Amino acid sequence: MAGGNERSMKTLKEVWRRSENSLCADCGKPDPDWASSTLGVFVCLSCSGIHRNIPSISKVKSLKMDHWDDAQVQFLAKHGNAVSKATYEAYIPIYYYQPTYNDCQVLREQWIRAKYERKEFTKPEKHLLYSDGVKEGILWKRGRDNGQFLPRKFLLSEREGCLKYFTKQDAKEPKISVKVDVINATFQPAKIGNPNGLQITYLKDNKTRNIFVYHESGKEVVDWFNAIRSVQFHYLKVAFPIASDNEIKNRLTRNFLKEGYMEKTGPKQREAFKKRWFTLDHRRLMYFKDPLDAFAKGEVFVGSRENGYSVQKGLPSGTQGNFSWHYGLTIVTPDREYLFTCETETDQLDWITAFTSIINQAMTPQEYAIEAYFKFKS
């Protein structure tokens, strides 16, 4: 820590060591070593870069390498992360998604701008565009067959409880109309190839359909994301009147537990293993030929341990199918075994961890109904 008199340096260290300042004020990452001399918050390196892009609001400095004068240290001492949260996060709607350090750049940037630049959560009566119960606008949607992104009109309605999109601006009938309770939305910048890429999935005839969209404006695409969560929240409040707000919040959009390539073989376990893109969305393991396919080639239900499901490292002895990757794992279900191979041991262990986390959870009544559908289908 460069410069500053001894007393200031001691005070700075004491403020920095306060438990309230042990996590980044914006993403929760442990051990932040940057701070804003104008907001009085302690932030991680990644969030400090976002603050630096809003110089009219925040001026950030390194706690280890930069000089802090006495006035700046006293300002930090009077503020800190707890005071900041009480001010800038006083009235966050329960449905609003608060990103962590594992989330993508656009989510974290818009969260930081919403708090400090737009002051969206400082007053209870503040009007929030994503809480109107209706949102209409253009999103660039990837074509299912040609892969081109084209502008499409989307309409989200709390009153109707659905999301629609139209192939033409003046179209009277939507191309699709989806009930909000079967929608999931998750940011996928790397997969979609756009920093503001959003994947919207929904169930149709109990099968998962993917739509890939983006918007040039980070604020607009994050507003769409939170508008979906807002409409879902109010829809579910009516559908489940005795459920607590937190129970409903846990049923809103969710990130996938894991995605990536594995190889799989067919039910006879004698066919060659084929490389597929896998998505684990809670108890649904879906596989695709290509990560941007609209429909899965197949789905596997992953139940709970008490119902006869387990994951095992390696393949059964005597497995006959040809495979090019050598880190195997087996999903055991009451009806059959599913065999997969991974390219690296790290992938193998990560998949086993993800499956184990699901298998160790008890199933809900709704999940028993999904399991029954999968059994009936097979």
Side-chain angles (χ1 to χ4, degrees):
M1 201 177 302
N5 61 46
E6 210 170 295
R7 191 176 59 213
S8 270
M9 288 171 67
K10 185 181 176 186
T11 303
L12 182 57
K13 285 180 181 176
E14 287 170 357
V15 176
W16 190 7
R17 279 200 294 262
R18 288 178 191 165
S19 60
E20 65 175 274
N21 300 324
S22 63
L23 302 176
C24 172
D26 298 323
C27 74
K29 192 169 187 178
D31 305 318
D33 53 6
W34 288 72
S36 170
S37 61
T38 51
L39 294 171
V41 293
F42 291 75
V43 297
C44 68
L45 174 63
S46 182
C47 288
S48 77
I50 298 171
H51 279 254
R52 196 174 285 111
N53 288 332
I54 323 173
S56 60
I57 304 295
S58 184
K59 292 188 168 44
V60 287
K61 300 168 71 171
S62 168
L63 292 161
K64 292 180 178 176
M65 298 178 289
D66 290 330
H67 167 71
W68 289 78
D69 63 37
D70 191 54
Q72 291 171 333
V73 171
Q74 292 307 315
F75 182 81
L76 273 186
K78 286 179 186 172
H79 291 80
N81 291 1
V83 170
S84 167
K85 284 183 185 296
T87 304
Y88 294 105
E89 300 180 21
Y91 300 100
I92 302 172
I94 191 162
Y95 59 77
Y96 188 95
Y97 185 81
Q98 299 178 45
T100 72
Y101 55 90
N102 291 318
D103 283 301
C104 63
Q105 176 82 4
V106 69
L107 266 175
R108 289 184 294 110
E109 178 175 351
Q110 291 308 313
W111 163 237
I112 288 169
R113 287 185 180 273
K115 284 202 294 182
Y116 307 119
E117 186 178 44
R118 300 192 290 271
K119 297 185 172 67
E120 290 182 6
F121 316 120
T122 56
K123 296 177 182 174
E125 70 277 6
K126 181 95 173 174
H127 176 250
L128 302 172
L129 291 173
Y130 39 81
S131 64
D132 286 343
V134 63
K135 185 164 177 60
E136 183 176 352
I138 299 296
L139 292 170
W140 290 77
K141 176 189 168 294
R142 186 180 190 271
R144 192 176 82 186
D145 301 318
N146 59 17
Q148 275 188 298
F149 282 89
L150 296 170
R152 294 287 182 256
K153 184 174 83 170
F154 281 76
L155 175 63
L156 177 69
S157 169
E158 183 182 310
R159 184 175 59 80
E160 296 180 54
C162 66
L163 174 69
K164 304 174 183 178
Y165 89 79
F166 303 79
T167 52
K168 292 192 173 116
Q169 280 276 68
D170 55 355
K172 297 287 187 286
E173 293 299 318
K175 173 79 172 177
I176 62 159
S177 179
V178 189
K179 286 293 182 187
V180 294
D181 58 330
V182 297
I183 289 176
N184 188 27
T186 179
F187 279 89
Q188 297 277 15
K191 188 158 81 171
I192 294 173
N194 184 285
N196 300 337
L198 182 68
Q199 180 174 346
I200 297 171
T201 65
Y202 63 92
L203 288 177
K204 183 178 182 182
D205 302 326
N206 219 6
K207 291 182 180 175
T208 306
R209 164 79 200 273
N210 296 322
I211 296 176
F212 301 97
V213 299
Y214 73 86
H215 196 282
E216 293 92 340
S217 161
K219 179 182 183 300
E220 180 67 8
V221 78
V222 173
D223 280 355
W224 269 104
F225 177 67
N226 280 303
I228 289 170
R229 290 174 61 87
S230 170
V231 168
Q232 282 183 329
F233 182 82
H234 292 104
Y235 181 91
L236 292 171
K237 280 287 281 184
V238 174
F240 301 96
I242 63 169
S244 71
D245 283 358
N246 272 324
E247 285 173 320
I248 291 176
K249 180 182 177 181
N250 290 334
R251 296 187 62 173
L252 304 183
T253 63
R254 63 203 172 270
N255 293 326
F256 298 138
L257 289 176
K258 182 158 175 58
E259 286 195 291
Y261 283 108
M262 289 192 290
E263 294 180 327
K264 73 172 289 292
T265 187
K268 295 180 181 176
Q269 301 178 359
R270 292 193 293 271
E271 302 96 326
F273 282 67
K274 292 179 181 175
K275 182 180 174 184
R276 295 287 182 254
W277 177 267
F278 286 83
T279 297
L280 181 59
D281 185 9
H282 198 55
R283 294 200 184 275
R284 287 177 181 265
L285 176 67
M286 298 165 279
Y287 53 94
F288 306 83
K289 194 170 182 182
D290 183 273
L292 296 175
D293 283 349
F295 294 100
K297 291 186 73 66
E299 300 189 32
V300 177
F301 181 82
V302 183
S304 65
R305 192 172 303 282
E306 62 189 12
N307 291 91
Y309 293 82
S310 64
V311 58
Q312 298 172 359
K313 188 176 181 181
L315 302 176
S317 61
T319 299
Q320 296 175 19
N322 293 325
F323 47 86
S324 53
W325 292 347
H326 298 282
Y327 298 93
L329 62 94
T330 303
I331 298 289
V332 179
T333 79
D335 304 311
R336 59 170 280 200
E337 294 179 342
Y338 293 87
L339 312 186
F340 309 99
T341 59
C342 302
E343 187 174 16
T344 67
E345 186 178 18
T346 300
D347 282 346
Q348 177 197 46
L349 296 176
D350 286 349
W351 277 110
I352 289 172
T353 299
F355 287 128
T356 301
S357 71
I358 286 297
I359 289 168
N360 285 344
Q361 294 177 32
M363 282 163 58
T364 65
Q366 294 94 331
E367 288 165 354
Y368 277 105
I370 296 170
E371 181 190 42
Y373 166 79
F374 272 84
K375 290 189 175 189
F376 172 77
K377 186 179 69 169
S378 60

